[in-house]
Amino acid sequence: MTSAGIRAVWAVLTVVGVIILFWYAASVPMNIKGVLTEFERAGEQVDPPKAVDRRDMSEFELVFDNPYAIDETWDQDRPRLPAPHQVAEELWETTVEKKITSKRSLIYHAWVTLSATMLGFAIGTGLGILLAVGIVHSRVMDLSVMPWAIVSQTIPIIALAPMIIVVLYSIGIQGIIPKAIISAYLSFFPVVVGMVKGLRSPDAMQLDLLRTYNASRSQGFWKLRLPASMPYLFTSLKIGIAASLVGAIVGELPTGAVAGLGARLLAGSYYGQTVQIWSALFAAAILAACLVGLLGVLERLVLKRMGMSQ
Amino acid sequence: MILVLFAVFLWLFGWWLNSRLASGPQADSRAVRFLAPMIFGLTIIAMWELVVRGLDVPLVILPAPSVIAVRFADSLPILWADFVQTIIKGALSGYLIGCSAAFLMAIAVDRWDFLRLGLLPVGNFVAALPIVGTAPILVMWFGFDWHSKAAVVVVMVFFPMLVNTVAGLREATAMQRDLMETYAATYWQSFLKLRLPAAMPFIFNGLKISTTLALIGAIVAEFFGSPTLGMGFRISTSVGQLSLDMVWAEIVVAALAGTAFYGLVAMIEKAVTFWHPSQRG
């Protein structure tokens, strides 16, 4: 590895380390009141002894007065802010130590969300590419559809999610399909806009060259426009898959779904299981990072094979 | 059935009209560029109305546009209160706090190379994550009112804004920086007169991405708990009561607010970055 590379890795590790340290530090004042209440119930000496007096005091003052409680703030059952190791433990327990078929296994929930995400992403991307091809080749579609595709990106489409779920439920469709539709919807527009840009990216000189070759329109598409659009496609695929995952997670919220990462988030927030929320959040983050990373690898391979990588 | 046939006929007519416009001599004029999408949109809405009426689609599946419009006009006070709660209080305040915090952070990141090396990959990573998921946690911390929604928005807009601003601040070329050096410009002089203006297209890109994110954050956060007010609250409760016309009215509000918010930022961009090639077309 080059020295610049090592330096970059060090810098990232330092930043991550600082974040974790800050996280530990923040969980002390965040959890101190709960810890002191527990101590008081256990009959231990707390300063000040009455919960009423503690309520209006600042958290930092309480930490200062009861330094022996600091240790306990990182080890609560239902902390306001769980410490990093608690989240890591929960993640470990619910992924590695539980059977995949178990309802408490995060892998099971992640799979439920992932399958909806992938189905939706495939539908959304496919339709998006088709529409982009249509827009590039048909002047009518370009004029009448494209402005709406752009405008629709400024709209919080996700507000439609609860309605899509309930309406589909009322006509008897449930399970993976409604979530996939929301996912597809969210990944659709970024792909359309990106692909239109990509399919139009060949400049006049290149198009003229093909004309001198007497290339037909479809040859122009397969040999010039489509290859030229690949970098744009991958950029929008990365945006699209992240949006798909958000769509699938939000799609699990309104029905009070029983499975999936969104359902874990919702159940956690109903029952105050903060550690569960945080671990579901991290599972979603890891999933998103894997998906985007996978596309990144694919992008590098494809572009390298095509001789387009810089 | 007659109405459905009429809808099909209308579609064909609209498409024919747009084809004529698109292949006509005026195809590149502003009027056609404005008219064609309008015709398309109106045709869709008219077809929606006709098909819903023609097939007697029940209200709980898809209300007709006219029903939605009536509901919209009838419940203006409620919609306005929801708009203020979600967009003005939740989304807008979070947007302002998040974007300015990210901007200040970006200056620091740009100034110290170590921070840039360390924080930028982390920021890029976080910008791709489903940050909406922090909503239940933040609702738990900041309560049900708009403060928690603003907090979700802050977290959502922070990283896209940070990444864009940092990229923008590096936009000035080495030649331009050298020129500032030969003028003996101080750090802040060269920042204000060269790097900040050069960064503006990137900053506005971040600001524009953030407008949509802000609305999404504010609305989704309300699904995790809210006072009996707000667009997300109204959407989820109206869905529960199967009054879909109200849901659609809220969606219309969300769409109008989103477009207006984005349009406002785009207008400011036009005024600020008038010198940029993309604005001089």
Side-chain angles (χ1 to χ4, degrees):
Chain A
M1 201 185 272
T2 58
S3 67
I6 291 171
R7 201 162 155 250
V9 171
W10 261 115
V12 172
L13 287 180
T14 315
V15 166
V16 171
V18 168
I19 290 174
I20 291 178
L21 275 182
F22 183 76
W23 186 348
Y24 268 111
S27 40
V28 175
M30 286 295 279
N31 299 331
I32 189 80
K33 282 187 180 167
V35 169
L36 290 182
T37 312
E38 271 175 32
F39 275 175
E40 191 193 345
R41 283 196 194 128
E44 280 180 54
Q45 196 62 45
V46 177
D47 179 35
K50 285 234 167 60
V52 188
D53 299 329
R54 286 199 302 270
R55 200 179 54 201
D56 295 326
M57 280 174 74
S58 92
E59 279 84 357
F60 296 102
E61 212 175 321
L62 283 172
V63 174
F64 194 72
D65 288 345
N66 304 281
Y68 59 90
I70 291 178
D71 217 24
E72 201 56 31
T73 56
W74 294 324
D75 209 20
Q76 268 200 300
D77 229 12
R78 290 179 176 189
R80 281 178 77 198
L81 175 61
H85 69 264
Q86 287 179 296
V87 178
E89 263 169 39
E90 169 86 4
L91 267 178
W92 178 261
E93 271 173 30
T94 48
T95 49
V96 182
E97 291 182 0
K98 286 269 184 310
K99 262 195 268 160
I100 294 182
T101 47
S102 158
K103 281 263 151 61
R104 292 197 54 200
S105 163
L106 259 187
I107 296 190
Y108 163 74
H109 289 287
W111 168 248
V112 170
T113 305
L114 179 66
S115 53
T117 306
M118 293 314 286
L119 182 62
F121 179 65
I123 299 172
T125 314
L127 290 178
I129 293 175
L130 280 183
L131 184 65
V133 172
I135 286 176
V136 169
H137 282 98
S138 151
R139 180 106 185 98
V140 194
M141 281 180 85
D142 180 24
L143 278 177
S144 44
V145 183
M146 194 59 192
W148 293 108
I150 292 172
V151 167
S152 73
Q153 293 214 297
T154 67
I155 298 172
I157 304 176
I158 209 131
L160 286 167
M163 191 181 58
I164 293 178
I165 301 267
V166 170
V167 166
L168 289 180
Y169 183 81
S170 72
I171 55 174
I173 301 172
Q174 46 178 318
I176 187 178
I177 304 284
K179 284 191 270 173
I181 290 179
I182 296 169
S183 281
Y185 203 50
L186 285 182
S187 59
F188 177 70
F189 292 108
V191 172
V192 172
V193 175
M195 267 311 264
V196 167
K197 228 188 237 168
L199 290 171
R200 290 221 174 109
S201 64
D203 57 32
M205 192 103 81
Q206 294 166 321
L207 292 170
D208 280 348
L209 179 66
L210 279 195
R211 207 158 300 151
T212 62
Y213 290 164
N214 194 24
S216 69
R217 260 186 109 145
S218 76
Q219 281 172 324
F221 175 76
W222 290 110
K223 295 191 196 265
L224 176 61
R225 284 188 190 273
L226 195 62
S229 71
M230 280 302 134
Y232 295 85
L233 175 65
F234 277 106
T235 309
S236 39
L237 285 186
K238 282 194 226 161
I239 300 171
I241 194 123
S244 277
L245 186 63
V246 172
I249 290 175
V250 173
E252 285 162 355
L253 299 179
T255 48
V258 281
L261 292 174
R264 290 288 277 186
L265 284 177
L266 197 66
S269 84
Y270 277 165
Y271 302 116
Q273 296 286 359
T274 37
V275 183
Q276 181 186 325
I277 302 183
W278 280 88
S279 61
L281 190 61
F282 269 80
I286 293 167
L287 197 60
C290 287
L291 291 172
V292 174
L294 208 67
L295 279 173
V297 171
L298 199 66
E299 173 182 26
R300 213 167 308 150
L301 284 179
V302 169
L303 292 190
K304 200 169 179 186
R305 186 88 179 72
M306 293 170 64
M308 289 175 89
S309 58
Q310 299 93 353
Chain B
M1 216 53 220
I2 281 287
L3 289 176
V4 179
L5 280 178
F6 189 60
V8 173
F9 172 73
L10 195 70
W11 170 258
L12 292 175
F13 176 72
W15 198 252
W16 172 80
L17 201 63
N18 266 353
S19 309
R20 285 295 298 269
L21 280 176
S23 52
Q26 303 276 303
D28 274 322
S29 67
R30 285 186 70 148
V32 171
R33 290 199 162 275
F34 176 77
L35 262 181
M38 278 299 140
I39 293 174
F40 181 75
L42 288 177
T43 315
I44 294 276
I45 292 179
M47 274 181 60
W48 174 358
E49 178 85 36
L50 290 170
V51 169
V52 167
R53 278 172 191 273
L55 297 180
D56 268 331
V57 179
L59 182 76
V60 294
I61 290 182
L62 189 66
S66 56
V67 179
I68 298 168
V70 169
R71 166 62 74 171
F72 187 91
D74 280 350
S75 33
L76 277 179
I78 296 180
L79 293 174
W80 175 250
D82 290 347
F83 172 80
V84 170
Q85 170 77 15
T86 305
I87 308 286
I88 308 279
K89 287 186 184 162
L92 200 60
S93 57
Y95 180 79
L96 293 177
I97 298 171
C99 287
S100 28
F103 180 72
L104 295 179
M105 190 72 176
I107 295 176
V109 167
D110 181 66
R111 180 111 206 223
W112 290 286
D113 219 29
F114 189 76
L115 265 184
R116 187 177 58 77
L117 279 176
L119 205 59
L120 214 54
V122 178
N124 265 320
F125 172 74
V126 177
L129 300 185
I131 301 184
V132 196
T134 55
I137 296 162
L138 292 169
V139 168
M140 213 175 272
W141 287 355
F142 295 98
F144 280 173
D145 208 355
W146 60 271
H147 306 91
S148 60
K149 281 74 201 173
V152 175
V153 174
V154 168
V155 183
M156 280 191 79
V157 302
F158 185 82
F159 289 99
M161 186 66 196
L162 177 72
V163 171
N164 271 292
T165 311
V166 171
L169 287 176
R170 298 174 59 77
E171 177 65 5
T173 59
M175 192 91 91
Q176 293 166 328
R177 281 163 205 248
D178 282 351
L179 181 66
M180 290 312 266
E181 206 113 310
T182 60
Y183 290 164
T186 63
Y187 171 83
W188 287 109
Q189 278 173 331
S190 104
F191 178 83
L192 283 177
K193 307 211 164 175
L194 169 63
R195 271 140 26 88
L196 191 60
M200 277 305 165
F202 290 80
I203 293 175
F204 273 100
N205 190 29
L207 285 174
K208 284 196 286 190
I209 296 172
S210 298
T211 56
T212 322
L213 288 178
L215 297 199
I216 292 176
I219 292 176
V220 173
E222 287 183 1
F223 294 158
F224 288 98
S226 66
T228 54
L229 194 69
M231 296 166 65
F233 164 80
R234 193 78 56 201
I235 288 174
S236 49
T237 49
S238 301
V239 163
Q241 297 159 351
L242 291 180
S243 57
L244 282 201
D245 45 349
M246 191 66 199
V247 179
W248 278 100
E250 288 287 356
I251 288 169
V252 171
V253 175
L256 289 177
T259 324
F261 196 2
Y262 188 94
L264 190 70
V265 176
M267 251 167 62
I268 300 174
E269 177 184 22
K270 212 166 200 157
V272 173
T273 63
F274 58 89
W275 48 270
H276 194 259
S278 67
Q279 302 289 347
R280 285 191 312 222

